[in-house]
């Protein structure tokens, strides 16, 4: 019987992907390819992943966007009315709940997991990695490793596509990854023998922080376009969240059309407000953020020091036409590859772990033996505790 695989987990700002080393995607409870990076609370119940999506619409105050919190897009601590009281819940505890949920799905999918690798965004600071490490220790079983996102993209591309290169051919690929709360660009060189990272840049100064930055700019713009008899909602309020959701829907629609129209429900006093935005307006409103992205891509291009042969776009933000135009202007192309998908980061993390395992089999065998011994020790301790508890019950019963 084949041993269980290594898995990679990409806990993104909006959704979490789990992929095995062979590329198989772990599906959520509803059969989808990803789980929402959400944890919600209602009464005595806790909702995790896809189960919390409905909570976000009806009970946003008590729903944590844990992906965004880890990426530094949320200020202050998270509190929720849970089990009859207002409760402060740490980010590592929220992330642990999500990791426990997706880890359990992986266990069911593969019949066990050998080890887990978590994707770490290139721009993360030590404090963010430490929070994720605490969450992994509490939410996942077995060994856990951390792999930088640029290495994940390199390994995923190498596994899937570098094998068809001609002998002595060198292909230089730029990966532009635009997510909800971050943006990065890594340029890699591939041959039939090896691959390497030539340059890696990520948004660290807030000049461009993914589609959340675009939505925030559109939000401020739409406030000026609301009817005069509709009060401007404050950010973070229920009405503010409805308007922000409308901004996101407009941005998504403008990926495929020049004019987008949506209706924001209950934005006024029991009043639905129609909203519209053109692609040209989106580009003009988001110009400050796109300028930051342009400079990020320029730094990666200059740092690589080689002509880029292909550009691969990764992340939901890469579907925004203005983002694609920006990447095309920097790298001098209007054609982008379609070889990477939303599972690429998690798959690359799993491959990094599998590569280490295959290169150091003796160490991994020792690790597995240690984990098994710890499991047996834990089970023996549990049996002893149960036996002691039963003995105490018998002694108390005899005393009466």
């Amino acid at each position: 019987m084949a041993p269980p695989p290594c898995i990679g987990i990409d806990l993104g700002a909006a959704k979490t992907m789990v992929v095995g080393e062979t590329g198989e995607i772990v599906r959520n409870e509803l059969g989808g390819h990803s789980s929402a990076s959400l944890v919600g609370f209602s009464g005595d119940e806790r909702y995790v992943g896809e189960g919390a999506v409905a909570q976000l619409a009806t009970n946003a105050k008590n729903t944590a966007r844990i992906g965004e919190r880890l990426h530094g897009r949320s200020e202050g601590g998270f509190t929720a009315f849970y089990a009859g009281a207002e409760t402060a819940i740490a980010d590592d505890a929220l992330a642990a709940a999500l990791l426990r949920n997706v880890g359990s799905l992986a266990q069911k999918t593969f019949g066990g997991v050998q080890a887990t690798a978590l994707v770490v965004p290139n721009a993360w600071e030590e404090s963010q990695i430490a929070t994720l490490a605490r969450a992994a220790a509490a939410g996942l079983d077995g060994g856990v490793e951390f792999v930088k996102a640029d290495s994940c993209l390199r390994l995923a591309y190498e596994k899937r596509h570098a094998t068809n290169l001609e002998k002595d051919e060198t292909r230089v690929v730029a990966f532009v990854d635009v997510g909800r709360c971050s943006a990065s660009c890594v340029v890699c060189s591939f041959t039939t023998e090896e691959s390497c990272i030539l340059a890696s840049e990520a948004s660290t100064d807030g000049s461009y922080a993914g589609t959340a930055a675009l939505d925030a700019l559109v939000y401020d713009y739409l406030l000026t376009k609301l009817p005069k008899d509709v009060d401007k909602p404050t950010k973070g309020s229920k009405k503010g969240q409805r308007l922000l959701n409308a901004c996101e829907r407009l941005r998504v629609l403008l990926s495929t059309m020049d004019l987008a129209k949506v209706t924001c429900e209950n934005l006024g006093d029991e009043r639905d407000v129609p909203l519209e935005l053109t692609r040209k307006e989106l580009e003009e409103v988001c110009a400050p953020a796109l300028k930051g992205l342009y400079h990020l891509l320029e730094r990666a291009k200059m740092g690589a020091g080689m002509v880029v042969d292909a550009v691969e776009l990764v992340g939901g933000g890469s579907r925004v036409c203005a983002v694609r135009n920006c990447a095309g202007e920097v790298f001098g192309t209007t054609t982008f590859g379609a070889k990477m998908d939303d599972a690429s980061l998690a798959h690359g993390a799993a491959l990094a772990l599998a590569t280490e395992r295959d290169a150091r089999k003796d160490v991994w065998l020792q690790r597995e033996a240690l984990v098994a011994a710890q499991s047996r020790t834990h089970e023996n301790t549990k049996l002893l505790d149960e036996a002691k508890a039963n003995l105490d019950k018998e002694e108390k019963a005899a005393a009466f």
Side-chain angles (χ1 to χ4, degrees):
M1 181 178 178
C6 296
I7 65 169
I9 299 178
D10 176 22
L11 200 166
K15 61 185 179 182
T16 298
M17 296 287 304
V18 186
V19 183
E21 61 185 85
T22 61
E24 181 177 353
I25 296 173
V26 174
R27 295 180 178 270
N28 64 34
E29 300 92 328
L30 304 178
H33 284 179
S34 63
S35 295
S37 298
L38 299 171
V39 181
F41 301 88
S42 179
D44 294 334
E45 298 293 327
R46 183 181 67 186
Y47 302 89
V48 182
E50 292 302 293
V53 173
Q55 288 290 308
L56 188 62
T58 60
N59 191 17
K61 182 180 180 299
N62 294 310
T63 304
R65 295 174 179 263
I66 184 55
E68 291 191 14
R69 297 189 65 81
L70 290 177
H71 282 73
R73 287 289 299 180
S74 299
E75 298 180 358
F78 176 77
T79 59
F81 192 78
Y82 179 50
E86 196 73 19
T87 306
I89 306 172
D91 288 346
D92 51 6
L94 294 167
L98 179 60
L99 290 175
R100 189 178 300 113
N101 176 264
V102 298
S104 175
L105 292 172
Q107 293 278 355
K108 294 177 182 177
T109 299
F110 299 117
V113 171
Q114 191 171 45
T116 303
L118 290 169
V119 179
V120 177
N122 299 328
W124 270 23
E125 299 175 354
E126 289 185 5
S127 60
Q128 293 170 292
I129 299 174
T131 299
L132 186 60
R134 291 194 300 271
L140 296 170
D141 296 327
V144 178
E145 303 289 344
F146 300 90
V147 186
K148 283 292 188 72
D150 50 10
S151 294
C152 294
L153 291 172
R154 177 182 65 82
L155 289 167
Y157 189 91
E158 181 182 62
K159 176 70 173 181
R160 300 178 185 180
H161 308 293
T163 54
N164 60 8
L165 292 174
E166 299 291 338
K167 187 179 180 181
D168 299 327
E169 179 186 358
T170 298
R171 181 183 299 167
V172 178
V173 182
F175 301 94
V176 179
D177 183 4
V178 181
R180 176 152 184 79
C181 294
S182 62
S184 64
C185 179
V186 55
V187 183
C188 300
S189 171
F190 298 92
T191 69
T192 55
E193 301 295 329
E194 61 181 3
S195 65
C196 67
I197 295 175
L198 300 175
S200 183
E201 294 287 341
S203 54
T204 57
D205 59 359
S207 61
Y208 183 78
T211 57
L214 304 184
D215 294 343
L217 291 170
V218 173
Y219 181 100
D220 293 337
Y221 175 70
L222 290 181
L223 285 179
T224 67
K225 306 285 283 184
L226 293 177
K228 294 181 179 180
D229 56 343
V230 175
D231 293 333
K232 295 180 180 180
T234 56
K235 288 185 178 180
S237 65
K238 285 186 177 180
K239 291 182 179 180
Q241 186 60 50
R242 293 189 192 112
L243 180 57
L244 190 60
N245 290 342
C247 295
E248 183 177 356
R249 296 203 306 274
L250 286 169
R251 169 175 54 78
V252 171
L253 288 171
L254 289 174
S255 298
T256 57
M257 57 184 66
D258 293 325
L259 172 65
K261 298 181 180 182
V262 300
T263 299
C264 188
E265 299 179 352
N266 294 323
L267 189 59
D269 293 332
E270 298 186 4
R271 175 181 171 185
D272 299 341
V273 177
L275 301 169
E276 64 177 52
L277 192 71
T278 68
R279 186 177 289 180
K280 183 178 180 181
E281 283 179 305
L282 178 66
E283 292 180 358
E284 292 174 350
V285 168
C286 296
L290 295 170
K291 183 178 179 181
L293 175 63
Y294 182 91
H295 291 315
L296 184 152
L297 300 180
E298 276 284 353
R299 292 196 302 271
K301 177 184 175 182
M302 295 297 293
M306 296 180 68
V307 176
V308 172
D309 300 310
V311 179
E312 293 285 341
L313 301 179
V314 188
S318 64
R319 300 182 182 95
V320 178
C321 285
V323 170
R324 299 172 73 91
N325 293 341
C326 185
E329 183 178 351
V330 172
F331 292 105
T333 183
T334 57
T335 304
F336 302 100
K339 295 181 171 62
M340 309 297 279
D341 53 33
D342 292 344
S344 297
L345 284 167
H347 186 204
L351 288 171
L353 208 51
T355 301
E356 181 195 358
R357 176 200 61 202
D358 295 341
R360 305 174 64 193
K361 288 185 178 180
D362 55 336
V363 175
W364 275 73
L365 289 173
Q366 292 175 20
R367 178 190 295 183
E368 290 178 1
L370 178 60
V371 171
Q374 290 174 336
S375 178
R376 288 195 299 272
T377 301
H378 174 74
E379 188 63 29
N380 290 338
T381 302
K382 183 179 176 182
L383 291 172
L384 288 172
D385 289 343
E386 291 177 353
K388 186 176 182 301
N390 290 333
L391 184 60
D392 290 342
K393 288 181 182 179
E394 291 174 1
E395 289 177 349
K396 289 179 181 179
F400 288 98

